[in-house]
PDB file of all heavy atoms in Angstrom:
ATOM      1  N   PHE A  92     112.451  91.300 108.270  1.00  0.00           N
ATOM      2  CA  PHE A  92     111.437  91.084 109.314  1.00  0.00           C
ATOM      3  C   PHE A  92     112.143  90.680 110.587  1.00  0.00           C
ATOM      4  O   PHE A  92     113.090  89.906 110.544  1.00  0.00           O
ATOM      5  CB  PHE A  92     110.547  89.883 108.928  1.00  0.00           C
ATOM      6  CG  PHE A  92     109.221  90.257 108.349  1.00  0.00           C
ATOM      7  CD1 PHE A  92     109.080  90.410 106.974  1.00  0.00           C
ATOM      8  CD2 PHE A  92     108.116  90.425 109.155  1.00  0.00           C
ATOM      9  CE1 PHE A  92     107.846  90.736 106.419  1.00  0.00           C
ATOM     10  CE2 PHE A  92     106.885  90.748 108.619  1.00  0.00           C
ATOM     11  CZ  PHE A  92     106.745  90.911 107.246  1.00  0.00           C
ATOM     12  N   ARG A 224      96.102 100.149 111.198  1.00  0.00           N
ATOM     13  CA  ARG A 224      95.068  99.285 110.620  1.00  0.00           C
ATOM     14  C   ARG A 224      94.853  98.099 111.554  1.00  0.00           C
ATOM     15  O   ARG A 224      95.770  97.316 111.787  1.00  0.00           O
ATOM     16  CB  ARG A 224      95.448  98.787 109.233  1.00  0.00           C
ATOM     17  CG  ARG A 224      94.250  98.067 108.585  1.00  0.00           C
ATOM     18  CD  ARG A 224      94.412  97.894 107.119  1.00  0.00           C
ATOM     19  NE  ARG A 224      95.335  96.811 106.857  1.00  0.00           N
ATOM     20  CZ  ARG A 224      95.779  96.502 105.649  1.00  0.00           C
ATOM     21  NH1 ARG A 224      95.437  97.223 104.611  1.00  0.00           N
ATOM     22  NH2 ARG A 224      96.585  95.497 105.487  1.00  0.00           N
ATOM     23  N   ASN A 226      93.350  94.734 111.857  1.00  0.00           N
ATOM     24  CA  ASN A 226      92.899  93.692 110.930  1.00  0.00           C
ATOM     25  C   ASN A 226      92.063  92.666 111.679  1.00  0.00           C
ATOM     26  O   ASN A 226      92.448  92.228 112.770  1.00  0.00           O
ATOM     27  CB  ASN A 226      94.107  92.954 110.337  1.00  0.00           C
ATOM     28  CG  ASN A 226      94.994  93.857 109.501  1.00  0.00           C
ATOM     29  OD1 ASN A 226      94.541  94.466 108.531  1.00  0.00           O
ATOM     30  ND2 ASN A 226      96.270  93.963 109.868  1.00  0.00           N
ATOM     31  N   TYR A 228      90.382  88.943 111.152  1.00  0.00           N
ATOM     32  CA  TYR A 228      90.294  87.756 110.312  1.00  0.00           C
ATOM     33  C   TYR A 228      89.299  86.785 110.942  1.00  0.00           C
ATOM     34  O   TYR A 228      89.612  86.079 111.902  1.00  0.00           O
ATOM     35  CB  TYR A 228      91.664  87.074 110.213  1.00  0.00           C
ATOM     36  CG  TYR A 228      92.765  88.001 109.717  1.00  0.00           C
ATOM     37  CD1 TYR A 228      93.639  88.635 110.608  1.00  0.00           C
ATOM     38  CD2 TYR A 228      92.923  88.262 108.356  1.00  0.00           C
ATOM     39  CE1 TYR A 228      94.640  89.496 110.157  1.00  0.00           C
ATOM     40  CE2 TYR A 228      93.920  89.119 107.897  1.00  0.00           C
ATOM     41  CZ  TYR A 228      94.771  89.733 108.805  1.00  0.00           C
ATOM     42  OH  TYR A 228      95.751  90.578 108.354  1.00  0.00           O
ATOM     43  N   LEU A 240      94.982  87.855 103.892  1.00  0.00           N
ATOM     44  CA  LEU A 240      95.564  89.018 103.212  1.00  0.00           C
ATOM     45  C   LEU A 240      96.509  88.456 102.156  1.00  0.00           C
ATOM     46  O   LEU A 240      97.361  87.620 102.468  1.00  0.00           O
ATOM     47  CB  LEU A 240      96.319  89.864 104.248  1.00  0.00           C
ATOM     48  CG  LEU A 240      96.656  91.311 103.983  1.00  0.00           C
ATOM     49  CD1 LEU A 240      95.456  92.113 103.501  1.00  0.00           C
ATOM     50  CD2 LEU A 240      97.207  91.957 105.255  1.00  0.00           C
ATOM     51  N   SER A 241      96.329  88.896 100.910  1.00  0.00           N
ATOM     52  CA  SER A 241      97.146  88.372  99.813  1.00  0.00           C
ATOM     53  C   SER A 241      98.573  88.894  99.889  1.00  0.00           C
ATOM     54  O   SER A 241      98.836  89.906 100.545  1.00  0.00           O
ATOM     55  CB  SER A 241      96.527  88.801  98.477  1.00  0.00           C
ATOM     56  OG  SER A 241      95.346  88.079  98.253  1.00  0.00           O
ATOM     57  N   PRO A 242      99.508  88.215  99.201  1.00  0.00           N
ATOM     58  CA  PRO A 242     100.912  88.626  99.260  1.00  0.00           C
ATOM     59  C   PRO A 242     101.106  90.097  98.894  1.00  0.00           C
ATOM     60  O   PRO A 242     100.536  90.569  97.911  1.00  0.00           O
ATOM     61  CB  PRO A 242     101.583  87.742  98.206  1.00  0.00           C
ATOM     62  CG  PRO A 242     100.712  86.538  98.112  1.00  0.00           C
ATOM     63  CD  PRO A 242      99.319  87.024  98.366  1.00  0.00           C
ATOM     64  N   HIS A 243     101.892  90.782  99.709  1.00  0.00           N
ATOM     65  CA  HIS A 243     102.178  92.195  99.457  1.00  0.00           C
ATOM     66  C   HIS A 243     103.443  92.559 100.225  1.00  0.00           C
ATOM     67  O   HIS A 243     103.831  91.863 101.157  1.00  0.00           O
ATOM     68  CB  HIS A 243     101.016  93.084  99.945  1.00  0.00           C
ATOM     69  CG  HIS A 243     100.817  93.032 101.428  1.00  0.00           C
ATOM     70  ND1 HIS A 243     100.217  91.963 102.063  1.00  0.00           N
ATOM     71  CD2 HIS A 243     101.177  93.887 102.426  1.00  0.00           C
ATOM     72  CE1 HIS A 243     100.200  92.175 103.370  1.00  0.00           C
ATOM     73  NE2 HIS A 243     100.786  93.338 103.621  1.00  0.00           N
ATOM     74  N   SER A 244     104.056  93.664  99.857  1.00  0.00           N
ATOM     75  CA  SER A 244     105.040  94.274 100.745  1.00  0.00           C
ATOM     76  C   SER A 244     104.362  95.539 101.229  1.00  0.00           C
ATOM     77  O   SER A 244     103.452  96.051 100.575  1.00  0.00           O
ATOM     78  CB  SER A 244     106.348  94.573 100.007  1.00  0.00           C
ATOM     79  OG  SER A 244     106.113  95.419  98.901  1.00  0.00           O
ATOM     80  N   ASP A 245     104.761  96.050 102.391  1.00  0.00           N
ATOM     81  CA  ASP A 245     104.091  97.248 102.901  1.00  0.00           C
ATOM     82  C   ASP A 245     104.657  98.471 102.171  1.00  0.00           C
ATOM     83  O   ASP A 245     105.874  98.628 102.066  1.00  0.00           O
ATOM     84  CB  ASP A 245     104.254  97.343 104.418  1.00  0.00           C
ATOM     85  CG  ASP A 245     103.479  96.231 105.135  1.00  0.00           C
ATOM     86  OD1 ASP A 245     102.563  95.652 104.512  1.00  0.00           O
ATOM     87  OD2 ASP A 245     103.800  95.937 106.300  1.00  0.00           O
ATOM     88  N   PRO A 246     103.777  99.323 101.671  1.00  0.00           N
ATOM     89  CA  PRO A 246     104.230 100.414 100.805  1.00  0.00           C
ATOM     90  C   PRO A 246     105.017 101.517 101.511  1.00  0.00           C
ATOM     91  O   PRO A 246     105.805 102.196 100.881  1.00  0.00           O
ATOM     92  CB  PRO A 246     102.915 100.976 100.251  1.00  0.00           C
ATOM     93  CG  PRO A 246     101.858 100.564 101.220  1.00  0.00           C
ATOM     94  CD  PRO A 246     102.317  99.268 101.794  1.00  0.00           C
ATOM     95  N   THR A 250     106.628  98.866 109.339  1.00  0.00           N
ATOM     96  CA  THR A 250     105.387  98.469 110.000  1.00  0.00           C
ATOM     97  C   THR A 250     105.708  97.835 111.338  1.00  0.00           C
ATOM     98  O   THR A 250     106.634  97.027 111.439  1.00  0.00           O
ATOM     99  CB  THR A 250     104.621  97.454 109.123  1.00  0.00           C
ATOM    100  OG1 THR A 250     104.434  98.040 107.833  1.00  0.00           O
ATOM    101  CG2 THR A 250     103.267  97.107 109.717  1.00  0.00           C
ATOM    102  N   LEU A 252     103.900  95.558 113.897  1.00  0.00           N
ATOM    103  CA  LEU A 252     102.704  94.715 114.007  1.00  0.00           C
ATOM    104  C   LEU A 252     102.585  94.114 115.400  1.00  0.00           C
ATOM    105  O   LEU A 252     103.539  93.523 115.903  1.00  0.00           O
ATOM    106  CB  LEU A 252     102.781  93.580 112.978  1.00  0.00           C
ATOM    107  CG  LEU A 252     101.538  92.681 112.923  1.00  0.00           C
ATOM    108  CD1 LEU A 252     100.455  93.318 112.054  1.00  0.00           C
ATOM    109  CD2 LEU A 252     101.872  91.293 112.390  1.00  0.00           C
ATOM    110  N   LEU A 261     100.485  85.248 110.259  1.00  0.00           N
ATOM    111  CA  LEU A 261     101.385  85.947 109.344  1.00  0.00           C
ATOM    112  C   LEU A 261     102.406  84.977 108.753  1.00  0.00           C
ATOM    113  O   LEU A 261     103.030  84.206 109.469  1.00  0.00           O
ATOM    114  CB  LEU A 261     102.120  87.056 110.124  1.00  0.00           C
ATOM    115  CG  LEU A 261     103.208  87.805 109.357  1.00  0.00           C
ATOM    116  CD1 LEU A 261     102.640  88.617 108.201  1.00  0.00           C
ATOM    117  CD2 LEU A 261     103.984  88.716 110.307  1.00  0.00           C
ATOM    118  N   ASN A 282     108.715  95.145 110.257  1.00  0.00           N
ATOM    119  CA  ASN A 282     109.225  94.884 108.906  1.00  0.00           C
ATOM    120  C   ASN A 282     109.517  96.157 108.137  1.00  0.00           C
ATOM    121  O   ASN A 282     108.924  97.201 108.377  1.00  0.00           O
ATOM    122  CB  ASN A 282     108.299  93.939 108.124  1.00  0.00           C
ATOM    123  CG  ASN A 282     106.934  94.498 107.854  1.00  0.00           C
ATOM    124  OD1 ASN A 282     106.093  94.586 108.726  1.00  0.00           O
ATOM    125  ND2 ASN A 282     106.713  94.906 106.620  1.00  0.00           N
ATOM    126  N   VAL A 298     109.870  92.869 102.307  1.00  0.00           N
ATOM    127  CA  VAL A 298     109.708  91.442 102.049  1.00  0.00           C
ATOM    128  C   VAL A 298     108.227  91.130 101.916  1.00  0.00           C
ATOM    129  O   VAL A 298     107.390  91.673 102.646  1.00  0.00           O
ATOM    130  CB  VAL A 298     110.353  90.639 103.213  1.00  0.00           C
ATOM    131  CG1 VAL A 298     110.016  89.165 103.130  1.00  0.00           C
ATOM    132  CG2 VAL A 298     111.866  90.838 103.200  1.00  0.00           C
ATOM    133  N   GLU A 299     107.943  90.259 100.977  1.00  0.00           N
ATOM    134  CA  GLU A 299     106.546  89.881 100.761  1.00  0.00           C
ATOM    135  C   GLU A 299     106.011  89.084 101.945  1.00  0.00           C
ATOM    136  O   GLU A 299     106.725  88.238 102.495  1.00  0.00           O
ATOM    137  CB  GLU A 299     106.473  88.970  99.538  1.00  0.00           C
ATOM    138  CG  GLU A 299     105.753  89.554  98.371  1.00  0.00           C
ATOM    139  CD  GLU A 299     105.675  88.545  97.245  1.00  0.00           C
ATOM    140  OE1 GLU A 299     106.728  88.134  96.733  1.00  0.00           O
ATOM    141  OE2 GLU A 299     104.552  88.187  96.889  1.00  0.00           O
ATOM    142  N   HIS A 300     104.783  89.371 102.312  1.00  0.00           N
ATOM    143  CA  HIS A 300     104.149  88.596 103.366  1.00  0.00           C
ATOM    144  C   HIS A 300     102.659  88.462 103.065  1.00  0.00           C
ATOM    145  O   HIS A 300     102.132  89.158 102.190  1.00  0.00           O
ATOM    146  CB  HIS A 300     104.405  89.233 104.740  1.00  0.00           C
ATOM    147  CG  HIS A 300     104.074  90.694 104.826  1.00  0.00           C
ATOM    148  ND1 HIS A 300     104.862  91.691 104.265  1.00  0.00           N
ATOM    149  CD2 HIS A 300     103.036  91.342 105.401  1.00  0.00           C
ATOM    150  CE1 HIS A 300     104.322  92.862 104.506  1.00  0.00           C
ATOM    151  NE2 HIS A 300     103.208  92.690 105.193  1.00  0.00           N
ATOM    152  N   ARG A 301     102.020  87.558 103.780  1.00  0.00           N
ATOM    153  CA  ARG A 301     100.587  87.314 103.577  1.00  0.00           C
ATOM    154  C   ARG A 301     100.020  86.752 104.877  1.00  0.00           C
ATOM    155  O   ARG A 301     100.772  86.504 105.827  1.00  0.00           O
ATOM    156  CB  ARG A 301     100.380  86.319 102.417  1.00  0.00           C
ATOM    157  CG  ARG A 301     100.861  84.918 102.755  1.00  0.00           C
ATOM    158  CD  ARG A 301     100.639  83.949 101.593  1.00  0.00           C
ATOM    159  NE  ARG A 301     100.936  82.577 102.024  1.00  0.00           N
ATOM    160  CZ  ARG A 301     100.892  81.525 101.226  1.00  0.00           C
ATOM    161  NH1 ARG A 301     100.595  81.651  99.951  1.00  0.00           N
ATOM    162  NH2 ARG A 301     101.156  80.315 101.708  1.00  0.00           N
ATOM    163  N   VAL A 302      98.715  86.579 104.916  1.00  0.00           N
ATOM    164  CA  VAL A 302      98.102  86.078 106.147  1.00  0.00           C
ATOM    165  C   VAL A 302      97.216  84.876 105.814  1.00  0.00           C
ATOM    166  O   VAL A 302      96.445  84.909 104.844  1.00  0.00           O
ATOM    167  CB  VAL A 302      97.268  87.190 106.834  1.00  0.00           C
ATOM    168  CG1 VAL A 302      96.542  86.650 108.058  1.00  0.00           C
ATOM    169  CG2 VAL A 302      98.170  88.363 107.229  1.00  0.00           C
ATOM    170  N   ALA A 314      98.344  96.735 112.889  1.00  0.00           N
ATOM    171  CA  ALA A 314      99.519  97.139 112.103  1.00  0.00           C
ATOM    172  C   ALA A 314      99.628  98.656 112.149  1.00  0.00           C
ATOM    173  O   ALA A 314      98.696  99.358 111.739  1.00  0.00           O
ATOM    174  CB  ALA A 314      99.378  96.666 110.663  1.00  0.00           C
ATOM    175  N   PHE A 316     101.535 101.637 110.561  1.00  0.00           N
ATOM    176  CA  PHE A 316     102.383 101.950 109.405  1.00  0.00           C
ATOM    177  C   PHE A 316     103.031 103.309 109.612  1.00  0.00           C
ATOM    178  O   PHE A 316     102.323 104.297 109.864  1.00  0.00           O
ATOM    179  CB  PHE A 316     101.549 101.982 108.120  1.00  0.00           C
ATOM    180  CG  PHE A 316     100.809 100.699 107.855  1.00  0.00           C
ATOM    181  CD1 PHE A 316      99.431 100.623 107.988  1.00  0.00           C
ATOM    182  CD2 PHE A 316     101.493  99.561 107.457  1.00  0.00           C
ATOM    183  CE1 PHE A 316      98.743  99.439 107.745  1.00  0.00           C
ATOM    184  CE2 PHE A 316     100.814  98.364 107.208  1.00  0.00           C
ATOM    185  CZ  PHE A 316      99.440  98.314 107.357  1.00  0.00           C
TER     186      PHE A 316
HETATM  187 NI1  LIG B 403     101.585  94.010 105.466  1.00  0.00          NI
END
Side-chain angles (χ1 to χ4, degrees):
F92 259 91
R224 189 164 77 187
N226 297 302
Y228 305 98
L240 199 50
S241 288
H243 65 284
S244 58
D245 292 341
T250 305
L252 184 83
L261 174 66
N282 64 286
V298 170
E299 247 183 298
H300 51 285
R301 68 180 188 183
V302 176
F316 303 109

